[in-house]
Amino acid sequence: MEFFTGLLENKIFLSAALGWLIAQILKTLIHLLFTKKFVAERLVGSGGMPSSHSATVCALVTATYLEYGSASFAFAIALIVAIIVMYDAIGVRRETGIQAQLLNNIIRIFEDMGRDELSAQDKLKEFIGHTPFQVLMGGILGILVAAAFYQL
């Protein structure tokens, strides 16, 4: 029980969790606005605008900075982890999403040709990575969330 009490009193953890939660809600609302469809998976799924990964790690970095300063080992670790996560979101994960779109288009072509070897279950998830803009917006959101949380 002490573990959970500690987490609920940990401003750094709460800032990062709040950054993720707000990003996921915004991502869902933005998807709803553009597609006119509510997709519950957007509340927990990856990919999309803004990047919840970036919001989470940038809130973590900002809260760590506000708690311990830039000379602390905790800030250094948080910053390096944030850089790796955001780089991965733009790089490998984004490319994976682009490849999934291409492969899903190939599946559609086979379906249109009357081939039924590939079913809807074989379609790949396309919302995986982020554009640089989505990562930037997630990062800004995370910084603002942590800064606001520390003002409370």
Side-chain angles (χ1 to χ4, degrees):
M1 196 61 162
E2 194 175 312
F3 173 81
F4 294 109
T5 304
L7 270 183
L8 293 175
E9 294 173 358
N10 186 325
K11 290 176 98 173
I12 295 172
F13 171 77
L14 292 175
S15 294
L18 188 60
W20 174 84
L21 179 64
I22 291 172
Q24 289 299 124
I25 291 169
L26 283 173
K27 181 185 303 191
T28 304
L29 294 174
I30 290 169
H31 189 267
L32 174 66
L33 180 71
F34 281 96
T35 65
K36 308 291 189 252
K37 294 177 189 169
F38 175 75
V39 179
E41 189 272 335
R42 295 283 72 216
L43 286 169
V44 293
S46 59
M49 171 71 170
S51 166
S52 58
H53 289 85
S54 297
T56 303
V57 294
C58 284
L60 177 70
V61 168
T62 303
T64 304
Y65 168 76
L66 293 171
E67 193 75 30
Y68 299 112
S70 62
S72 69
F73 76 91
F75 176 77
I77 293 168
L79 182 61
I80 294 300
V81 168
I83 290 168
I84 291 168
V85 167
M86 292 188 303
Y87 178 81
D88 183 63
I90 294 171
V92 175
R93 288 182 45 242
R94 182 170 180 226
E95 286 300 318
T96 302
I98 291 169
Q99 290 173 7
Q101 284 178 323
L102 177 63
L103 291 171
N104 286 339
N105 287 339
I106 292 170
I107 290 171
R108 276 188 221 95
I109 290 169
F110 276 101
E111 288 174 340
D112 291 345
M113 292 170 51
R115 299 280 190 103
D116 57 354
E117 298 97 37
L118 299 172
S119 69
Q121 294 173 325
D122 296 323
K123 293 203 167 84
L124 301 170
K125 183 177 175 189
E126 295 178 9
F127 281 117
I128 298 174
H130 296 282
T131 66
F133 183 71
Q134 291 169 339
V135 169
L136 175 65
M137 291 298 104
I140 291 170
L141 175 65
I143 292 167
L144 294 175
V145 165
F149 187 76
Y150 266 77
Q151 294 299 313
L152 299 175

